[in-house]
Amino acid sequence: MVSIHNISFPITNSLPIEVSQMHKFSQSLCDNNGINETIIPHNFAYTEWTVIDTKFEPNSLQHRETVFTIGNGYLGTRGSFEEGYPGAMPATLINGIYDDVPMVYTELVNCPDWLPIVISIEGERFRLDRGEILNYQQQLDVHKGLLSRYIHWRSQAGHTVKIYFERFASLAQQHLTAIRCQILSVDFTGEIEIQSSINGYPDNQGVCHWEWLDQGEKEDIIWLNTSTRHTNLELAIATQLQINNTENTEIQIKGCQGYPTVAASMYIQPGKIITLDKIVTIFTSRETATPVKAAKDKLANVSDYLTLRSAHIEAWAQVWQNNDIIIEGDLIAQIAVRYNIFQAIIAAPQQDDRVSIPAKSLSGFSYRGHIFWDTEIFLLPLFTFTQPKLARNLLNYRYHTLAEARHKALDFGYEGAMFAWESATTGEEVSPRWVPLADGSKELVRIWCGDIELHITSDIAYGVWQYWQATGDDDWMSNYGAELILDTAVFWGCRVEWYPEKNRYEIRDVIGPDEYHDHVNNNAFTNQMVKWHLETAIIVLNWLRQNYPHRANELETQLKITPKRLDIWADISKNLWISQDLQTGLIEQFEGFFNLQDINLHDYEPRQKSMQSILGIAKANQRQVLKQPDVLMLLFLLREKYTKQVIETNWNYYTPRTDHTYGSSLGPSIHAILACEIDKLTAAYEHFMRAAMVDLEDVRGNADEGIHAASTGGIWQAVIFGFAGLQITETGPILNPHLPPSWNRLQFKIQWRDRWYEFDLKLNPAE
Ligand code: IFM
């Protein structure tokens, strides 16, 4: 590696990584676990902390942009190239920055792009679709939160350079991002020009949400002020270009309205390195009344790149102290688990409790940045047990959106709070009602989730309860959590119907977690969760009466919780109908499910589409085929209520009927956990890997649309609740492990009631 003027190239001397240090996905799967590797292609090489792309693959550019997403909970930036590439989908998404759109109401906005750096070598633009790539490596180091790229490139005129990029979104300072760009001339003497810009007109797949307000420059600093068109959210971004050798360097301000640019030109000779640092600050009117001032002031006070980088790395080191999971004996599982934890953490708001984690995190446009049950059921446990402050932020988001949940209940003719299936800024229902058919025709399909996928209301209550149980945060529970559980219980008390002729309560016309079936009656998942919810509401109210009588009184008055209402809740908990064969324990997913035409999914293999696309919406509705676990989802959430035999019976029935690969990405981690409970370790590992590699190896072919956020949290749960078998007892957490045969060691920490518990499972201590 070359080093001139105390600047080493690349910074850490870490690129390119030697091939012997990497592991190919295919090897590990076949050697260790005997899983059918044809399920999954092989995109990357891995070390314990890094995902490495060793070859530029223009055909899967957008998949790679997703995989190499970085962020810090405030913003997420896809791994698009600084110099651009045709067909790229660069995006920076900031939590809470939404704008209005037809049909889907609101979407998370692609914010001004802080990446652009255009390099010209003797007038010839560097880009990977031009010239010749002699060597290429891109890597994400999740331990340090650094994305870097090394390119050995020859221009069409025959000039050879080595270029190194490194970027981060500071975990230490959420309004700060930075890029280092280093250029080493291999064989030429001549001029290099570097243009560093802000693109103020980024688009959400064709729609630009920004209206230019102002921009300016001073020496090597440029800034832009812009506003969302409909929601009038202001955003200011400022950047400074710091250059290591200023002799012979000419700085010029260029660009046009909405695209401020600072350009630096200089001479270079063979062996000489140019180092440029692009430091960026970003503020919006969600955090300050004066975003431009905030961005400029912050930039004026930041230190140099390496100091900022050290603080960022230190912040990640702190996170990993508690969040790391060590797996020995299976390198792919090791890096995949760390990668998924990294992606979950960078999506979680650190300092804002009025936003939550969108279904595609801050990494893509799919689902428009809307928030689903994915957060409370799949992601929340990771935070509840490792970073409870972040879990509280996520739950507070639901508390702050209670007003809209109350509106929704009223609109549907009920009391209490009924949460939106898809939620954004206010908590108003933002599920699209109509969407175009996926076949490209102009036909619209009615989507019913916003009207009748009701289980989210209990899922949120479940997240609240789990947080409270794990943290013992009575203060929060009495002030916020209890109200969430109680007002949603009020809703259920009204929504459930009594059928005197059957002597039972029922819940009709819903969609359960398995969205291949809509307008069903007595969905077992929904009904059992409602029973649990109403029982829990009574427990919470009694606790409140004993410990916080004033607050209990206040809530009873405010939410009109009368003794009569409480009697009804208790009665519903006992008499809400669930169809279960008492002999075998088999639960019917909903009334009439077993009368639907059965299916053998093997008859449709090989396939590359979901069963709903193959059969069509109406026919899938008529068949016993599941998009994702429904009864099994229930057995997972309320697992202490069910015996191993009941889990096994239902597993045997529903697993072969589930569309594991092309149904929902939420399913595999849950299947992995239940498979552990019934000692089916090969199946557990297979489902686990399908979830763990969903983005890295693009298992479903849609990772280009963004990270499967729910699955990142599901992976954490699969390791902790599945393989490690974490159970919470009256005296604290214990393990009932079921480790995959190749795992020699599993080590992790969880926090339970203010105390850290460290578990270190070593299977072959003698070796
Ligand atoms: O919440 C999920 C749902 O369960 C299945 N479809 C996608 C949604 C967002 O991830």
Side-chain angles (χ1 to χ4, degrees), residues 359 367 372-374 421 453 513 515 627-628 664 666 710:
Y367 296 113
F372 296 69
W373 70 318
D374 305 31
W421 175 246
E453 191 153 359
E515 294 168 339
K627 176 178 179 178
Q628 64 200 84
S664 167
L666 277 59

Side-chain angles (χ1 to χ4, degrees), residues 158-217:
H159 303 311
T160 314
V161 285
K162 290 182 176 177
I163 303 180
Y164 177 77
F165 289 102
E166 181 184 88
R167 74 171 82 140
F168 61 89
S170 173
L171 196 68
Q173 303 183 55
Q174 65 166 3
H175 296 282
L176 190 137
T177 61
I179 303 175
R180 169 160 279 197
C181 169
Q182 293 183 298
I183 306 163
L184 165 72
S185 168
V186 175
D187 60 7
F188 88 101
T189 304
E191 195 192 21
I192 290 203
E193 190 202 49
I194 293 134
Q195 294 193 7
S196 160
S197 313
I198 301 165
N199 175 12
Y201 297 118
D203 66 294
N204 283 53
Q205 298 175 304
V207 176
C208 178
H209 286 282
W210 295 101
E211 198 155 18
W212 179 87
L213 295 177
D214 200 3
Q215 71 188 58
E217 76 273 329

